[in-house]
Amino acid sequence: MTAPSAHNVSEREARQVAEAAREQDWRKPSFAKELFLGRFRLDLIHPHPLPAPDDVQRGEEFLAKLRDFCETKIDGARIEREAQIPDEVINGLKELGALGMKIDTKYGGLGLTQVYYNKALALVGSANASIGALLSAHQSIGVPQPLKMFGTTEQKETFLPRCARTDISAFLLTEPDVGSDPARLATSAVPTEDGSAYVLDGVKLWTTNGVVADLLVVMARVPKSEGHKGGITAFVVEAGSEGVTVEHRNAFMGLRGLENGVTRFHQVIVPADHRIGSEGAGLKIALTTLNTGRLSLPAMCVGAGKWCLKIAREWSLEREQWGKSIAKHEAVGSKIAFIAATTFALEAVLDLSSQMADEDRNDIRIEAALAKLYGSEMACLMADELVQIRGGRGFETAASLAARGERAVPAEQVLRDLRINRIFEGSTEIMHLLIAREAVDAHLSVAGDLIDPDKSLGDKAKAGARAGGFYARWLPKLVAGAGQLPNSYAEFHPDGYPDLATHLRYTERSARKLARSTFLAMARWQGRMETKQGFLGRIVDIGAELFAMSAACVRAEMLRTSGEEGRPAYQLADAFCRQSRIRVEELFTRLWSNTDDLDRKVVDGVLGGTYTWLEAGIVDLSGDGPWIADATPGPATTENIHRPIR
């Protein structure tokens, strides 16, 4: 039996594959989902949920050990210089239990909550981002998380103890010609005649941890046949299996210690009991795993923000220009205020989303996606502003600074390391589309058949009736709300504190405006709505800002009532909300006043060769070779550079 080629699929087929992998139902409430529908459900996040005392004690004890390890055992400059995490550092993390932070104690893990797992990633990621990426890829999307959610008892008992202490895992989905379009997945897993195993063939690209991994989660396509449903399926594969070859270790502009490579599978025998879930469930498993797994990236973005703030403060106290600290000059001071306020908001978003994940009362698929999207974008901006604040020293490497006798501040490295977060685990563009799809889910569930060209007139008539009832109830609620009442959210304006209630009223009004804008766009473009990616991206960005404002206010009030830095927290929340509101207003304007149509014409001209004259007068530095490497299945022709850590 051979697997059919999966490379040539239509746009409609690709969308059907992605849609089938979505979680179709909403069994629990979602603050962000309600926000996009114009309903500001502050009760879902306020009062701010808090971790249990036992979880706090266990988490703080581990953080203390991890901090000591980071300060005494991790040499970030060496990792940057040698482009590799030393084996003794990885082994030290194993001994510390860092591989098992999210694994239950009954399997030998530490059983940390999502909140403390993220705090640990922020801490270790600040010591070196490549180490943060290693631990995150291992636990957030590697073997432990999908097995925790979808594995059998036998699989958990077999693999989780290994993952908790000794074995590094990796997640393999991307292929040389397959990125965010999994319908074109070409790696095959063909069942043997007796059904006891699958034969794996294919090539996987950008396999984070793949160079050093002991266990792999591999997504492969099972051909449909008698007794086999087929489809994209998830497998646990032993990295040392015959036929598994790490062909190349990739090098990047940042994260130079990242053990990321190209892995080839040729006639690899995978036992059937290593399959995770049923055939065809692989993509759903991957996406569900990412619902909370995505929180690891904003965790490291928060850590980066904290470091940027610390360096900006210390440098500004040292550096004077024209008779005063550079921070006293408004042009620089505004950048520092942005870093401080945004770091506070990112931590608010992260901790709120993480605590909700721990409590499991809410569906946080949109919140986690927003945290990833917003964190990765804003962290890059903060690091870029730090480089600007540092001036020429920001562009200079830490090694060069140290060589001429100055403090080795790796600002340019942090900027390079953060850049990948806008691509990792769903690029910003894909996150916009993913979140937008979830945000309009309620509309499509009642009116989707109206804009589906394949539906019959009868189906459209039924959809029209459903839509009429839904919108008759929903639209009137978007006219007025608590945001128009001057005394709403009064508890967020205690005496002597900045007024955060006004920001929550603004958020409530803006949520209704956002929902009205979405409805108007659907009425205007109908079936073409999915092609309006610029509009959808702005809708999502507005929602991200509103979520961040809400989280910042709720966190400030929580800190005030607990007696922890309440007054400065209120000040930071106020500053962030004022900055955010300016961005929101600009985004609302750009919903309807933009250059999207003209941009499409220019793109057509670029692709059609209209502007090739504009490319004259340069030398192309790129080398020879195909744009996309050949990924034809077959035996390896290069040396296996797999390097398990022992």
Side-chain angles (χ1 to χ4, degrees), residues 376-408:
S376 59
E377 290 290 327
M378 300 305 273
C380 277
L381 290 176
M382 288 191 288
D384 189 63
E385 294 288 40
L386 177 64
V387 168
Q388 193 71 15
I389 292 169
R390 287 274 290 160
R393 291 173 173 84
F395 193 66
E396 191 174 0
T397 67
S400 177
L401 289 165
R404 61 181 183 80
E406 290 195 3
R407 181 172 172 179

Side-chain angles (χ1 to χ4, degrees), residues 69-101:
F69 183 87
C70 290
E71 292 175 342
T72 61
K73 304 297 183 182
I74 296 177
D75 183 349
R78 177 187 173 188
I79 294 173
E80 180 73 3
R81 184 173 60 252
E82 298 178 357
Q84 183 172 292
I85 303 171
D87 288 5
E88 61 267 24
V89 171
I90 297 178
N91 284 326
L93 290 168
K94 291 180 180 181
E95 292 171 9
L96 202 62
L99 293 187
M101 287 186 285

Side-chain angles (χ1 to χ4, degrees), residues 317-508:
L317 290 171
E318 180 70 25
R319 181 65 164 167
E320 289 189 1
Q321 293 280 273
W322 297 299
K324 57 184 178 182
S325 164
I326 58 171
K328 296 296 184 180
H329 295 282
E330 192 171 277
V332 175
S334 63
K335 299 179 187 301
I336 296 174
F338 167 73
I339 293 172
T342 304
T343 297
F344 177 81
L346 288 191
E347 187 167 41
V349 166
L350 176 69
D351 279 6
L352 178 62
S353 300
S354 301
Q355 187 58 42
M356 288 195 294
D358 286 329
E359 292 187 348
D360 202 26
R361 287 189 296 111
N362 293 347
D363 187 322
I364 66 156
R365 74 182 86 161
I366 300 182
E367 286 85 347
L370 287 173
K372 188 274 177 188
L373 168 69
Y374 198 68
S376 59
E377 290 290 327
M378 300 305 273
C380 277
L381 290 176
M382 288 191 288
D384 189 63
E385 294 288 40
L386 177 64
V387 168
Q388 193 71 15
I389 292 169
R390 287 274 290 160
R393 291 173 173 84
F395 193 66
E396 191 174 0
T397 67
S400 177
L401 289 165
R404 61 181 183 80
E406 290 195 3
R407 181 172 172 179
V409 179
E412 59 84 30
Q413 179 192 334
V414 169
L415 180 58
R416 288 188 287 104
D417 287 345
L418 284 170
R419 184 59 182 83
I420 188 58
N421 291 332
R422 296 172 61 197
I423 300 171
F424 260 172
E425 296 182 20
S427 69
T428 290
E429 293 72 26
I430 290 299
M431 297 308 296
H432 276 150
L433 298 181
L434 183 151
I435 297 167
R437 173 62 187 86
E438 299 294 356
V440 301
D441 184 56
H443 299 283
L444 293 179
S445 66
V446 298
D449 288 355
L450 282 173
I451 58 178
D452 189 336
D454 293 339
K455 294 299 181 181
S456 66
L457 289 177
D459 290 335
K460 291 179 182 293
K462 294 177 183 177
R466 288 197 306 271
F470 173 78
Y471 290 119
R473 296 186 301 272
W474 179 67
L475 285 171
K477 297 178 181 178
L478 301 182
V479 176
Q484 293 165 295
L485 303 176
N487 294 323
S488 295
Y489 316 115
E491 67 268 34
F492 287 86
H493 190 193
D495 290 341
Y497 285 78
D499 184 4
L500 299 187
T502 186
H503 300 311
L504 293 177
R505 290 194 293 270
Y506 174 85
T507 301
E508 194 277 337

Side-chain angles (χ1 to χ4, degrees), residues 598-641:
L598 178 58
D599 291 346
R600 278 190 287 273
K601 293 178 181 179
V602 172
V603 169
D604 289 341
V606 170
L607 297 181
T610 304
Y611 311 123
T612 52
W613 51 268
L614 191 59
E615 301 166 9
I618 62 164
V619 174
D620 185 353
L621 298 178
S622 57
D624 297 328
W627 286 100
I628 299 172
D630 180 27
T632 303
T637 58
T638 62
E639 177 187 359
N640 185 7
I641 61 170

Side-chain angles (χ1 to χ4, degrees), residues 247-286:
E247 296 187 325
H248 179 72
R249 183 183 187 272
N250 301 316
F252 303 99
M253 68 180 284
L255 296 183
R256 290 181 175 170
L258 196 68
E259 298 291 353
N260 179 295
V262 177
T263 302
R264 178 178 294 272
F265 300 92
H266 177 61
Q267 298 289 291
V268 179
I269 305 299
V270 181
D273 58 10
H274 284 204
R275 188 188 71 218
I276 308 174
S278 60
E279 289 184 357
L283 196 55
K284 183 181 287 290
I285 289 171

